[in-house]
Amino acid sequence: MEILAFGVQADEKPLLEKAFAGHHELRSLDVFLNEDTAPIAAGYEAISTSVNCGLGHRVLQTLAAGGTQLVAQRSTGFNNIDLEVAERLAMTVARVSSYSPYSVAEFAWTLGMAVNRRIVRAAIRTRDFDFRLDGLMGRDMHGRTVGVLGTGKIGEAFTRIAHGYGMNLLGWDVVENPACVELGMKYVSKDQLLAESDLISLHVPLMPETQHLIDAAALRTMKDDAILVNSSRGGLIDTAALVAELREGRFTGVGLDVYEAEAGLFFLDKSLEPVEDDTLARLVTFPNVLVTSHQAYYTEDAVGQIIEATVKNVLDYTAGRRSENVLVPRS
């Protein structure tokens, strides 16, 4: 069986092709799956997608009409896939249920420290041989309070880093993580966490219940000098509301590895094109904001585990097996 993989990054391609060698043929594309590119998949029983591919009802219908029966997503998140439509079309959908939590947790901490210590601004200055310290003052994290929204595997890894820095730990989740409690984390309401935390990091999945978890009211609850980090999903934050608060001069720093309208932007070179997203254009102009392109997961370790799980998902499909990675089982 030949598999068609969409949205394959240059660094990812040789690893993906090597992993599938000896099992199935693989065709890798750097384009993302959407309504325009879906017809390319005609004749492929199995495809593999990335998180920024769009698998709404029209795309899924096109895929099914072309003979696609398996969608193997190379990510944990699956909010980009209409699972109800996939089930109606008798398509199997699988994801990567877990990979190295340290990749995202370490990057989230890096974002927080980068905006706290003004690393990007300092690096730009020194390239111009400007070695002044004006405007570069940060704060010690030791003794301050971190708020972790979502304390699963990634949230726990982030908590361990914060604990190592000697921070007070506040957590919010539907279920308490015993490992975080053992580290000294106190679980509180979302409002209390937002009001008391100096550094807030988001590690919850994007679902209807968490869409705009950080909305205008939540942002107003935060300290004026707080640091906000999001390395999970862009839709967790109401970006327009965030821009409005930043315009008022609030927050020491904001580190975003994700953006709610990133599809069609992130992972692509848009440097020579007119900027059409006014919200993102305004967001990146703030000197206390750092935006990266959904790269928190992008380590050799994590990508290797994602690819390994993706190969296993395809092999399980061909063998008629079902695993914890299957979101919509084979009918």
Side-chain angles (χ1 to χ4, degrees):
M1 181 172 65
E2 186 176 12
I3 300 153
L4 181 63
F6 286 93
V8 178
Q9 302 298 310
D11 295 332
E12 179 188 15
K13 182 177 179 180
L15 301 176
L16 195 61
E17 292 178 346
K18 181 179 179 181
F20 271 102
H23 299 295
H24 296 287
E25 295 182 23
L26 180 75
R27 179 186 175 194
S28 298
L29 301 178
D30 58 1
V31 299
F32 293 94
L33 177 62
N34 53 39
E35 291 185 24
D36 294 328
T37 60
I40 301 174
Y44 289 90
E45 180 180 348
I47 67 167
S48 179
T49 56
S50 68
V51 71
N52 270 358
C53 292
L55 287 86
H57 69 280
R58 291 184 179 178
V59 169
L60 289 171
Q61 287 171 347
T62 300
L63 293 175
T68 298
Q69 298 180 37
L70 170 67
V71 174
Q73 175 126 311
R74 303 188 307 281
S75 73
T76 299
F78 53 89
N79 55 284
N80 60 317
I81 307 173
D82 192 326
L83 298 181
E84 292 183 1
V85 172
E87 186 173 11
R88 288 201 302 269
L89 295 171
M91 298 177 71
T92 300
V93 179
R95 61 154 178 169
V96 178
S97 58
S98 65
Y99 56 85
S100 168
Y102 309 108
S103 60
V104 179
E106 291 171 3
F107 193 86
W109 185 262
T110 301
L111 277 179
M113 294 307 98
V115 295
N116 175 38
R117 301 306 300 269
R118 316 289 197 262
I119 299 298
V120 175
R121 186 187 301 180
I124 292 173
R125 281 187 185 180
T126 55
R127 286 175 63 90
D128 292 332
F129 271 62
D130 179 353
F131 299 102
R132 294 172 298 159
L133 299 181
D134 298 347
L136 300 183
M137 183 175 288
R139 293 180 293 173
D140 289 2
M141 288 293 103
H142 181 86
R144 285 189 161 81
T145 299
V146 65
V148 184
L149 291 161
T151 55
K153 292 181 179 179
I154 297 174
E156 178 188 331
F158 185 88
T159 299
R160 291 187 182 280
I161 297 172
H163 177 262
Y165 273 71
M167 299 190 75
N168 303 312
L169 310 174
L170 296 181
W172 177 85
D173 209 327
V174 293
V175 178
E176 295 186 4
N177 185 332
C180 293
V181 173
E182 187 176 343
L183 291 171
M185 173 171 279
K186 178 183 178 183
Y187 280 85
V188 297
S189 68
K190 185 183 78 170
D191 285 347
Q192 182 178 346
L193 182 149
L194 295 175
E196 297 181 6
S197 298
D198 300 292
L199 169 61
I200 297 164
S201 191
L202 309 182
H203 300 288
V204 299
L206 180 61
M207 303 178 292
E209 299 81 8
T210 59
Q211 177 75 26
H212 286 180
L213 180 71
I214 304 300
D215 56 12
L219 291 165
R220 287 192 294 268
T221 303
M222 293 167 54
K223 295 180 178 181
D224 287 343
D225 61 353
I227 295 171
L228 175 63
V229 175
N230 186 12
S231 59
S232 183
R233 289 292 181 267
L236 298 176
I237 296 179
D238 183 339
T239 314
L242 175 61
V243 169
E245 295 300 312
L246 289 165
R247 285 171 62 92
E248 297 298 319
R250 299 191 64 220
F251 307 134
T252 289
V254 175
L256 304 175
D257 185 50
V258 288
Y259 173 60
E260 61 179 327
E262 69 181 56
L265 288 173
F266 282 22
F267 304 148
L268 299 171
D269 181 4
K270 297 289 185 176
S271 60
L272 299 179
E273 300 178 20
V275 178
E276 298 180 353
D277 190 321
D278 292 339
T279 302
L280 180 60
R282 184 68 180 94
L283 190 63
V284 299
T285 65
F286 292 104
N288 57 334
V289 174
L290 175 57
V291 178
T292 52
S293 52
H294 206 142
Q295 68 184 82
Y297 79 98
Y298 208 53
T299 66
E300 293 179 4
D301 310 83
V303 171
Q305 292 166 14
I306 290 169
I307 290 173
E308 181 180 346
T310 301
V311 173
K312 181 178 182 300
N313 287 341
V314 174
L315 295 179
D316 285 346
Y317 165 81
T318 56
R321 296 187 297 263
R322 182 175 175 179
S323 73
E324 71 281 0
N325 290 340
V326 176
L327 298 169
V328 179
R330 187 173 190 174
S331 59

